[in-house]
Amino acid sequence: MLHVGLHHFLVLGALLFSLGVLTVATRRNAVGVLMGVELILNGANVNFVAFNHWVTGGISGQVFALFVIVLAAAEAAVGLAIVLALFQTFRSIDVRTADTMRE
Amino acid sequence: MEHAHALGPILTARAGYLWLIPLFPLVGAFINFVFGWRFERSGRKRLVHVVGVGAMALAFAVAVCAFLQLRALPDEHRFLQDTLWNMFTAGRVTVDLGFALDPLSMMMVLIITFIGMLIHVFSIGYMWDDEAKAYWRFFGWLNLFVFSMLLLVMGDNFVLMFFGWEGVGLCSYGLISFYYTDREKAAAGMKAFVVNRFGDFGFLAGLLLLFWGLGGAWAASGKAHGPTYEPEAALHATAGASTAAESQALAPTVEVGEGQVVKVGPTLNFRELRDQVVIEKTGIAEHLKDQKVWGFALLALIGICLFVGAMGKSAQLPLYVWLPDAMAGPTPVSALIHAATMVTAGVYMVARLNFIFALSPAAMAWVAFVGALTAIFAASIGFFQYDIKKVLAYSTVSQLGFMFIGVGVGAYWAGAYHLLTHAFFKATLFLGSGSVILGCHHEQDMRKMGGLKKYMPITRWTYLIACWAIAGFPWASGFYSKDEILWKAFTSEHLALFGVPTPWLGPAIYLVGIIAATGTSFYMFRSYFMTFTGEYRGGAGHAHEHGEDPHASVAAAHHADPHGHHDAHPQPDPAHGHVHAAHGAFPHVGAAAHDAHGAHGGHGAHGGLPHESPWTITLVLSVLAAGAVLVSLLGIPAAWTGHEPLLEEWLKPALTAEVAFAEKPHSWEFLFQAIGVGAGAVGFLFAWLLYKDGKSTVPAALKERFLGIWTVVYNKYYVDELYDLVVIRPSLAWSRALSWFDGHILDWLVNAVGAVTRGFARIDGLIDTYVVDGAVNAVAVLTAEGGKSLRRLQTGRVQTYLYGALAGGLAVILLNFLIH
Amino acid sequence: MSRKLYTWIALAALVTLFVGVLGVQVGRGGALPADFEVGPFTLRDGLFYFFAALTVVGAGMTALSRNILYSALGLLGALTGAGGLYAWLDADFLAVTQLLVYIGGVLVLILFAVMLTNRITEVKVSNVSLGVAGGVALLVSTVPVLCFVALATPWAIREPEALGPTTRAIGNAFLSQWLLPFELASLVLLATLIGAVVIARKELKADEPDPSLG
């Protein structure tokens, strides 16, 4: 069972994903939330590549993972821009302060 | 007299004008009631009596035409029928508005219209100056009364007869209570009406029993005499018939020969009833004889119940008490209603239904018995009365008793004949007394009269002739009728009491009748002598019409009046003024002019002497007295002439009942006639001895001697007091009890229901406030609270939303896997 | 009873439900594939475990560290580990790109942000908004599900291809099969650039001079 196969990578991916979700859900710092998002995307990437290696062959999975990286970068940029805007509005990067949409 | 055993159904002839006879009086009544007051007020008072008398004259004229037509028809076809329209139909029973004249009703119609017309003429003179200023009302009521009476005798079915029966009761009330502002007079009217009601109840009961008996339980008795009918289902069926023709078609019929068909089963029409019962082939008579109701023979019950009706209307024992009180009405009323017409309705009814009565000896015995008892009872009361009208009233009751003896023993034509003769001589007597009363300035007490033969000769002679007639002396009609009745009573063989034949009852009734005849003669001549002979005892002309209560009458005794009991009231003349006021009695009319007809003399003041009445009155009296004599020609007995009396022959088609009489030789008949005359003579003799010229002291002495008996008889045997105790007071107590019941119990119930309703309403209110509104509010509160709770989900934080989304997503994945 | 307690109870119930159900499924024996990775444990496997550990620990640090800087470092470790794993999986170009772009670009960006915002906020930047228990619950509910799915599905596994350079193939793919996404990605980047600038810019009020100008 210790010989590494697809399943190990899938479990790893699941763990990464879960930890990423945990980070997003529990962090108060807005930047921390973005870090969580990166973790999620990485988890997904790991899955993609693993499947590419063991199931589909070719390079489709890798291409897809590349696209994910591109978009992750773009999204990180925009995300940080939003954090700046958030700071400008609320003078704090605690996500809990941005709750004017409550009730 | 032979009765053809093969009696066929009556054949009718159509006379389309019969409806005019009751119509004229009806129209006259209408005009007088609606416009009469205007005539009187505007000075056209004559118009009132022109209308009234005119209507009567026209009715009489048409009646004479009908009479002539009827006479022209052969015996077995003597029946005029005029059916106007069908009033209603119920199954096989039809009731038409139809008038029928057979010989019996023709006789009645002629009496009513002729004597009625004469009385209307009399009323002109009598009522012209009447204080009540209601000349129009009087004539209106008189005409209406004649209309009702004509309806009674001319109606061809029970419904019309009953309508007329009730109508005469109503008009009698209206006329007796004519002076309605006087409480006692109004009460007298009410008494008449109420006592009549008792009788009417019996009448209806008898009628309904007859109706039921005809339909009867054919199957239950198991016997169907004569032809068998399609079962009683046909008789009882109430299948609708909307027209008279359909109704006729539904009725079961029996063929009685030569294509003649008789309808059988319940019916209200006299002719149909007579046909069914009289013609033996239908078997109805046998059927009726067999039926029993609660152990009593049906026919006896029917007869007795119907006779109860006659008792009420014709004032027999025990329902006679209204007739003396009815003297409170003006005298023409007494003459018309209580002599000639209304009171004879009962006799007419029994004669009309002779075929029913003849089937039941028990009923006949009962009728005759009550008639005899009444005759002698009333005669005895008449001995001691002082009010002239009261004497005549009791005389009427007594004579009606004779009539019922006649129809009771089966001598139907004799009873009818006595009806005819009585109408004439009693009307003469009443109108004569009216003339006397008018002449003595409204004095009614005979003790204040006397010697009037000097002042009122015409009145005196007509009165005397009428007394001769009523006493039963030959050559005046009373003799013939009374003797016929008594002879038939003696020879009757058809009577039975409680189912047991009683041949002794006839002679017993005869004996009673003879004694009553003696009494009749006595008190009538007593009244004659007291009124017309001797010296005038009347002083200052009192005008009160009250004399029924002897202890209240003002007795201004002048001349040798031995009745000192009345000293309680002041004697001297000047005090009469007070006494009037104290009694609140009808004030004297003397001051008013009586001279519309110009025959009064010397009348301006109180204390005038009596005077003869105007020509309208004396003419009528003369005509009636002449009639009383001439009518005797209709009833000359067979023993004298060898053939049937004219009236008997005339009435034969109508009075078909065959009743058994013992055949006795003519010598017996002469003997009995002689006894009758003798009885009358004895009465006359006593009266002459005791009362001629008012000189004898024997009456006073006898009275002192037998004061107890005198008091009892004078107070009418205290019958009124007995009725008050036994009937009136319990009724009032009962009504008070019911009133209490209504007020306390029923009202309590109603209020309780109200309270319960209010209670429910309050509960509803509470429910509405707490439950309904509570539910509504609860929904609102729930929504609000739910909203408040759920609002907390909206934290405004993205992370929370993410958390939720994730949880949801996981759940979906899980579910997906699980469901697979 | 406080609302927090209710929340915890609800979460615990949810978690128990998940775990329970999964356990039942696994217990029924249909969960794990029969031919679950047979083979000897080689160095290569050990290498995998090393990179995996790096990744997971790094991720763990990102998730659970109180200090944002430690989180960033943890992120670094996780990204590096992921890069190593790509290399292990014969995805050479991807591994390099990961290092260059992700770590060299994105992570740097994030570090910049962290560094810059460190001064704004308190040093002790907070951690969990839901508390530890909430986080654990989340983890405990997410991981089993995903693992279950991963392990229970019968993947169509086949022999991996031989090791070889992928750059050329990827390049060709970008310009042939994946041309449209490639071009669109360029557009997205353009939009991102513009968008980031626009979003981060301060609102200029009419009467206020632009602070950036002076």
Side-chain angles (χ1 to χ4, degrees), chain A residues 21 24 27 96 98 102-103, chain B residues 791 794 796 799 802 806:
Chain A
V21 167
V24 170
R27 285 252 150 198
R96 279 192 294 183
R102 64 178 291 164
E103 291 201 22
Chain B
R791 249 194 317 214
Q794 300 281 348
Q799 285 171 324
L802 180 67
L806 195 67

Side-chain angles (χ1 to χ4, degrees), chain B residues 129 158 195 247-248 282 384 388 448 744:
Chain B
D129 285 311
F158 272 108
V195 173
S247 177
Q248 286 293 104
T282 60
F384 300 127
I388 191 170
K448 292 203 194 52
H744 287 86

Side-chain angles (χ1 to χ4, degrees), chain A residues 21 24-27 33 95-96 98-99 101-103, chain B residues 791-792 794-803 806:
Chain A
V21 167
V24 170
T26 58
R27 285 252 150 198
V33 171
V95 293
R96 279 192 294 183
D99 61 356
M101 289 283 276
R102 64 178 291 164
E103 291 201 22
Chain B
R791 249 194 317 214
R792 275 192 249 106
Q794 300 281 348
T795 55
R797 293 186 211 149
V798 178
Q799 285 171 324
T800 316
Y801 300 155
L802 180 67
Y803 207 62
L806 195 67

Side-chain angles (χ1 to χ4, degrees), chain B residues 767-788:
Chain B
I767 290 174
D768 183 54
T769 312
Y770 290 107
V771 174
V772 175
D773 285 356
V776 171
N777 290 345
V779 168
V781 163
L782 209 66
T783 310
E785 290 301 318
K788 248 185 257 165

